[in-house]
RNA sequence: GGCGACGUAGCCAAGCGGUCUAAGGCGGGGGAUUGCAAAUCCCUUAUUCCCGGGUUCAAAUCCCGGCGUCGCCUCCA
């Protein structure tokens, strides 16, 4: 398995520190607002990566944190007139609600900063004792010039960093690049904890060092997050952690490409965010997952409804045809299960894995799924179709995608999408079914004009009626 | 200004020195099927990979220069 490591920038063979075990820490959220599609751009690829590593037989420990104390949370609390604690728990709950639609794996640990203050204080003590940090008026700063490898992850030289560095008023840094490990309490309404340096709270960065090392050890395999975290967040984490332990910290650094909207990065500061409820009004979660995962995880993604619709179309065609052909061939779950160890299935799976092993090349892996399906249809063979379904079932087990057909998961993408459209357009599913029946009757009476009227009507709610040997099929349709 | 990434068909997007007369998806064109049908099926749609040099027996893939786009350098997935 090969991985492109941001640290050093090269493709490397993935060799876990402990045989067959993988520790992975993904930077989660600062919980001061609802998540948006940009977060999904990171969480979805990491979900696929974690699932895939499990599928490949690694015993994976997956950690994703909540940063629940921070400047932004405090200012949000002031805005909303509630406590910072309430802000954090509110957005953690909303996060869980939003993310639930996507069937992502729940991390083995979801640590919160406020539950780990003692660990953070211990870590800061070590850093100070090792001579990498200093105390000024209750603040503790990490002294960047004392850490010689600073800048190695982001590839920025400290001289160039100095050019853009700022010192906020009231900060007493020895060097503009120094960053806070601990912040002294300044305002009454600010949550704080007792520490050897006085009342205060952790700075940003230190929490991830403390929590990742607590759950995964002082050295672990993978640390990931969005590209924007490379500097300063991850750079600082490396400095702190190594300063504290003298050990290497994370071995592989993985970063997901950003999502842009009309050529601009989507971010809260630009105000061009699309949140999950907005997204789900228009698209099925599987479409969102597929659409975000069909780009390589490191690539930037230009998000637009148009791009999304293309991917939606691809999935509709794929799932509809698959369901229809399976029905026609009268395939059973049992038959699919029996093909599990078939040599052709293994062959397909090997090809799939060889793409995924190459730095998680999901676009190529997905293209294999489509081309394999095309071959099956060309062969016109029931056995080939069973093999393909068996292959697909394994893919679903591996990465949680492509499994929304009844024979594989008891779920039907097509049916779910039809129902979703009913909701979107405010028509009940029952009514749609009644209209379909009515049209069948009209067709039997050869009243084609009236029958076509019904088809037209349903087309307005995004449902196309396709007449087949099994009667009229409802297919989601968008122009 | 510094650092990084990228520029492949009408659009999206793989490709990491030969198997590339370039995967896959969407779209387009022609035909089959159909009461009709945008679904399905069959055929078709880049001799070419931003531009100009170079390295090599061999380059979309490596190097140099140019043009363009995006990201980071401040909070950010």
């Amino acid at each position: 398995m090969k991985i492109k490591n941001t640290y050093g920038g090269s493709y490397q063979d993935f060799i876990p520190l402990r045989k067959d075990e993988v520790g992975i820490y993904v930077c989660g959220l600062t919980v001061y607002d609802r998540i948006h599609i940009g977060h999904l751009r990171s969480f979805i690829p990491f979900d696929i990566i974690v699932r895939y590593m499990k599928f490949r037989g690694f015993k994976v420990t997956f950690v994703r944190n909540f940063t629940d104390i921070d400047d932004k949370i405090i200012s949000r609390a002031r805005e909303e007139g509630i406590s910072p604690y309430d802000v954090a728990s509110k957005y953690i709950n909303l996060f869980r609600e939003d993310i639930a639609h996507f069937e992502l794996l729940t991390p083995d640990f979801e640590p919160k900063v406020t539950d780990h203050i003692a660990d953070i204080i211990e870590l800061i003590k070590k850093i100070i004792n090792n001579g990498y940090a200093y105390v000024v008026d209750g603040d503790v700063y990490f002294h960047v010039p004392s850490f010689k490898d600073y800048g190695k992850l982001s590839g920025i030289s400290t001289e160039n960093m100095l050019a853009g560095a700022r010192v906020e008023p009231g900060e007493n840094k020895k060097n503009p690049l120094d960053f806070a490990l601990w912040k002294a309490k300044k305002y009454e309404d600010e949550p704080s904890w007792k520490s050897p340096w006085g009342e205060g709270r952790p700075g940003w960065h230190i929490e991830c060092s403390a929590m990742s090392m607590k759950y995964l050890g002082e050295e672990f395999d993978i640390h990931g997050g969005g590209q924007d975290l490379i500097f300063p967040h991850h750079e600082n984490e490396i400095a702190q952690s190594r300063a504290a332990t003298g050990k290497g910290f994370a071995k592989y650094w993985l970063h997901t490409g950003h999502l842009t909207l009309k050529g601009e990065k989507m971010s809260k500061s630009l105000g061009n965010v699309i949140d999950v409820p907005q997204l789900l009004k228009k698209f099925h979660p599987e479409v969102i997952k597929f659409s975000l995962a069909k780009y390589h995880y490191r690539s930037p993604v230009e998000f637009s409804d148009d791009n999304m619709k293309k991917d939606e179309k691809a999935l509709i065609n794929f799932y509809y045809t698959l369901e229809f052909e399976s029905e026609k061939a009268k395939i059973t779950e049992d038959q699919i299960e029996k093909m599990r160890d078939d040599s052709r299935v293994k062959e397909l799976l090997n090809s799939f894995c060889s793409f995924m092993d190459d730095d998680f090349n999901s676009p190529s892996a997905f293209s294999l799924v489509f081309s394999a399906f095309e071959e099956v249809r060309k062969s016109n063979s029931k056995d080939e179709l069973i093999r393909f379904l068996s292959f697909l079932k394994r893919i679903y087990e591996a990465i949680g995608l492509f499994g929304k057909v009844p024979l594989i998961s008891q779920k039907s993408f097509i049916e779910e999408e039809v129902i979703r459209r009913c909701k979107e357009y405010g028509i009940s599913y029952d009514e749609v079914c009644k209209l379909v029946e009515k049209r069948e009757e009209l067709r039997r009476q050869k009243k084609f004009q009236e029958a076509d009227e019904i088809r037209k009507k349903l087309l307005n709610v995004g449902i196309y009626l396709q007449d087949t040997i099994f009667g009229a099929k409802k297919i989601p349709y968008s122009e």
Side-chain angles (χ1 to χ4, degrees):
Chain A
M1 195 181 272
K2 287 203 162 191
I3 290 184
K4 181 161 174 175
N5 194 346
T6 310
Y7 196 86
S10 63
Y11 287 87
Q12 298 168 355
D13 284 321
F14 178 72
I15 303 160
L17 293 164
R18 284 168 289 271
K19 195 176 179 298
D20 301 330
E21 289 181 30
V22 176
I24 175 167
Y25 184 92
V26 175
C27 277
L29 294 171
T30 300
V31 279
Y32 71 102
D33 207 346
R34 202 155 187 167
I35 60 163
H36 59 251
I37 184 173
H39 294 102
L40 297 177
R41 167 59 185 150
S42 179
F43 292 165
I44 287 171
F46 278 117
D47 180 68
I48 290 175
I49 287 170
V50 170
R51 281 176 188 265
Y52 182 68
M53 291 193 124
K54 287 187 175 179
F55 181 73
R56 290 296 256 137
F58 291 107
K59 188 179 174 295
V60 181
T61 306
F62 172 31
V63 183
R64 187 176 59 208
N65 69 292
F66 289 113
T67 295
D68 62 345
I69 182 64
D70 147 282
D71 292 351
K72 292 186 295 291
I73 295 172
I74 294 167
S75 67
R76 191 58 181 251
R78 287 176 189 141
E79 277 168 42
E80 295 195 16
I82 54 179
S83 74
Y85 173 81
D86 288 337
V87 169
S89 65
K90 173 181 168 183
Y91 289 109
I92 286 172
N93 289 336
L94 280 172
F95 166 74
R96 293 198 197 286
E97 199 178 289
D98 287 343
I99 207 80
H101 299 282
F102 300 96
E103 297 174 30
L104 306 186
L105 294 176
T106 305
D108 299 294
F109 299 99
E110 294 186 288
K112 290 187 245 176
V113 180
T114 54
D115 293 335
H116 294 79
I117 301 294
D119 301 291
I120 291 170
I121 289 172
E122 282 310 304
L123 190 63
I124 296 175
K125 276 189 196 165
K126 280 189 201 165
I127 299 169
I128 296 173
N129 286 151
N130 291 348
Y132 292 94
Y134 55 93
V135 183
V136 183
D137 299 334
D139 288 330
V140 182
Y141 292 105
F142 186 89
H143 192 47
V144 168
S146 66
F147 184 74
K148 64 173 172 42
D149 281 341
Y150 196 78
K152 230 178 160 184
L153 177 74
S154 54
I156 306 174
S157 72
T158 46
E159 296 130 57
N160 285 321
M161 277 188 232
L162 277 169
R166 292 179 197 175
V167 180
E168 298 294 323
E171 288 184 325
N172 295 303
K173 296 178 184 176
K174 286 186 189 170
N175 184 296
L177 296 180
D178 294 352
F179 55 90
L181 298 175
W182 188 261
K183 294 179 163 189
K185 180 171 181 168
K186 291 193 182 70
Y187 305 100
E188 251 331 288
D189 63 347
E190 204 180 307
S192 64
W193 291 265
K194 283 196 173 67
S195 83
W197 320 287
E199 285 270 314
R201 59 189 166 93
W204 183 44
H205 314 306
I206 192 69
E207 82 284 16
C208 282
S209 289
M211 297 189 292
S212 59
M213 290 198 281
K214 173 160 183 176
Y215 294 97
L216 300 172
E218 292 180 343
E219 289 190 318
F220 56 94
D221 301 292
I222 300 174
H223 194 129
Q227 220 169 27
D228 54 338
L229 295 178
I230 295 172
F231 187 87
H233 187 57
H234 289 336
E235 193 70 73
N236 289 175
E237 272 187 60
I238 291 172
Q240 291 162 347
S241 306
R242 291 187 184 173
T245 67
K247 293 182 183 163
F249 196 49
K251 188 173 177 188
Y252 302 95
W253 290 84
L254 265 58
H255 292 98
T256 50
H258 265 144
L259 186 131
T260 58
L261 197 66
K262 289 176 187 157
E264 273 187 321
K265 184 177 130 179
M266 173 181 295
S267 71
K268 287 163 195 167
S269 48
L270 288 171
N272 56 349
V273 295
I274 298 176
D275 65 20
V276 172
Q278 276 175 300
L279 208 53
L280 290 176
K281 266 184 206 158
K282 291 181 185 166
F283 300 104
H284 188 289
E286 175 99 349
V287 173
I288 297 161
K289 260 179 113 165
F290 171 69
S291 190
L292 291 178
K294 67 147 213 186
Y295 297 88
H296 187 92
Y297 76 87
R298 277 188 281 101
S299 301
V301 174
E302 168 62 17
F303 173 84
S304 70
D305 281 6
D306 282 354
N307 283 347
M308 209 77 153
K309 283 214 175 97
K310 287 179 194 168
D311 298 328
E312 177 183 70
K313 196 78 183 6
L315 281 187
I316 290 168
N317 290 168
F318 176 77
Y319 276 123
Y320 173 74
T321 310
L322 191 59
E323 265 192 40
F324 183 70
E325 293 298 326
S326 305
E327 188 175 354
K328 218 164 74 179
K330 298 193 178 73
I331 290 170
T332 64
E333 287 177 51
D334 211 38
Q335 288 171 321
I336 294 170
E337 199 48 43
K338 277 184 186 144
M339 281 291 188
R340 199 176 167 85
D341 297 314
D342 175 84
S343 64
R344 173 65 183 149
V345 174
K346 280 184 178 162
E347 194 185 315
L348 284 169
L349 211 52
N350 283 341
S351 307
F352 183 85
C353 290
S354 65
F355 286 126
M356 290 301 284
D357 284 349
D358 180 17
D359 194 29
F360 308 105
N361 191 336
S362 53
S364 292
F366 291 5
S367 81
L368 172 75
V369 171
F370 286 100
S371 56
F373 187 39
E374 196 188 339
E375 263 179 57
V376 169
R377 283 177 299 180
K378 278 189 179 167
S379 74
N380 214 1
S381 141
K382 179 176 176 178
D383 281 351
E384 286 299 300
L385 185 57
I386 295 169
R387 287 190 182 94
F388 180 74
L389 282 159
S390 188
F391 164 61
L392 215 56
K393 189 172 179 180
R394 302 296 292 279
I395 299 302
Y396 183 59
E397 288 164 8
I399 61 167
L401 265 171
F402 296 113
K404 285 213 185 307
V405 282
L407 286 167
I408 291 176
S409 63
Q410 260 85 21
K411 292 172 184 161
S412 164
F413 171 80
I414 295 299
E415 193 180 311
E416 286 174 12
E417 178 58 15
V418 166
I419 292 169
R420 196 196 64 75
R421 281 165 190 244
C422 289
K423 281 186 194 150
E424 184 180 347
Y425 291 97
I427 180 170
S428 78
Y429 185 69
D430 279 354
E431 195 183 335
V432 170
C433 293
K434 273 181 197 150
L435 283 167
V436 173
E437 275 168 43
K438 195 174 156 195
R439 177 171 169 277
E440 300 274 54
E441 183 51 39
L442 289 166
R443 286 188 70 226
R444 274 191 286 274
Q445 298 169 10
K446 306 247 184 275
K447 292 179 180 169
F448 294 119
Q449 225 166 1
E450 289 167 69
D452 286 350
E453 283 301 310
I454 290 174
R455 186 152 61 190
K456 217 172 153 185
K457 189 173 174 182
L458 289 177
L459 202 56
N460 286 331
V461 300
I463 297 164
Y464 181 74
L465 292 182
Q466 179 67 41
D467 297 313
T468 75
I469 48 170
F470 304 114
K473 291 284 188 188
K474 301 182 272 296
I475 309 177
Y477 174 83
S478 324
E479 36 181 320

